Amino acid sequence: MAAALTRGQGRRQRSSRQNFETWAWFFMRITGIILFFLALIHMYIMHIENDVTHTTVSFVAKRWANPWWKLFDWWLLVLGLLHGGNGLRMIIDDYVKKPFKRTLTKALLYVVGSGLFLLGTITVLTFK
């Protein structure tokens, strides 16, 4: 009886950090599966169905005239950045031991990731 009570109390005492890491782990699995299929579709269309030497600005403009392709490429960009950024965050947690260096490295990761997201989103939205 006491063991069951102890086990139940342990569940209530989970830290928010553990919950975040659990969701981050789950996010990596889901985005990995989605990215696998998005990348397969992208590779087929851009490298098998169409010759790479014929990929020009006019080809991209014609493709991005359809909002669904813009959305497809934007999701590929966003999920790739989030998946890769989360993976790098985990690597930083594992290998950068000093708290100040870890904070600085993560800040650099977030700034670069946010900048790439912003530039990619602007490109997808404003390309004509």
Side-chain angles (χ1 to χ4, degrees), residues 4-76:
L5 184 60
T6 304
R7 229 179 286 141
Q9 287 174 345
R11 281 190 204 128
R12 278 184 247 133
Q13 294 176 352
R14 284 186 183 157
S15 70
S16 61
R17 179 80 179 152
Q18 183 182 6
N19 274 341
F20 175 76
E21 291 300 333
T22 302
W23 284 109
W25 176 89
F26 185 67
F27 174 80
M28 291 296 279
R29 275 46 186 185
I30 298 301
T31 56
I33 292 167
I34 294 169
L35 279 168
F36 176 75
F37 290 107
L38 289 176
L40 280 178
I41 293 166
H42 171 82
M43 292 296 290
Y44 175 76
I45 290 170
M46 299 302 288
H47 301 283
I48 296 172
E49 191 175 290
N50 298 296
D51 189 7
V52 177
T53 59
H54 293 55
T55 303
T56 60
V57 172
S58 61
F59 172 81
V60 175
K62 191 170 141 183
R63 182 175 171 205
W64 278 3
N66 181 343
W68 292 110
W69 282 119
K70 276 189 170 187
L71 186 64
F72 175 88
D73 286 343
W74 185 77
W75 273 111
L76 189 60

Side-chain angles (χ1 to χ4, degrees), residues 107-119:
L108 180 64
L109 170 66
Y110 299 147
V111 167
V112 170
S114 298
L116 290 172
F117 169 78
L118 188 63
L119 286 173

Side-chain angles (χ1 to χ4, degrees), residues 81-118:
L81 283 172
L82 289 173
H83 185 86
N86 193 34
L88 286 172
R89 182 193 60 80
M90 290 178 188
I91 290 170
I92 291 167
D93 280 343
D94 286 345
Y95 291 104
V96 181
K97 299 297 181 191
K98 294 183 180 176
F100 179 73
K101 283 185 179 179
R102 184 182 305 136
T103 302
L104 198 61
T105 308
K106 282 185 180 181
L108 180 64
L109 170 66
Y110 299 147
V111 167
V112 170
S114 298
L116 290 172
F117 169 78
L118 188 63

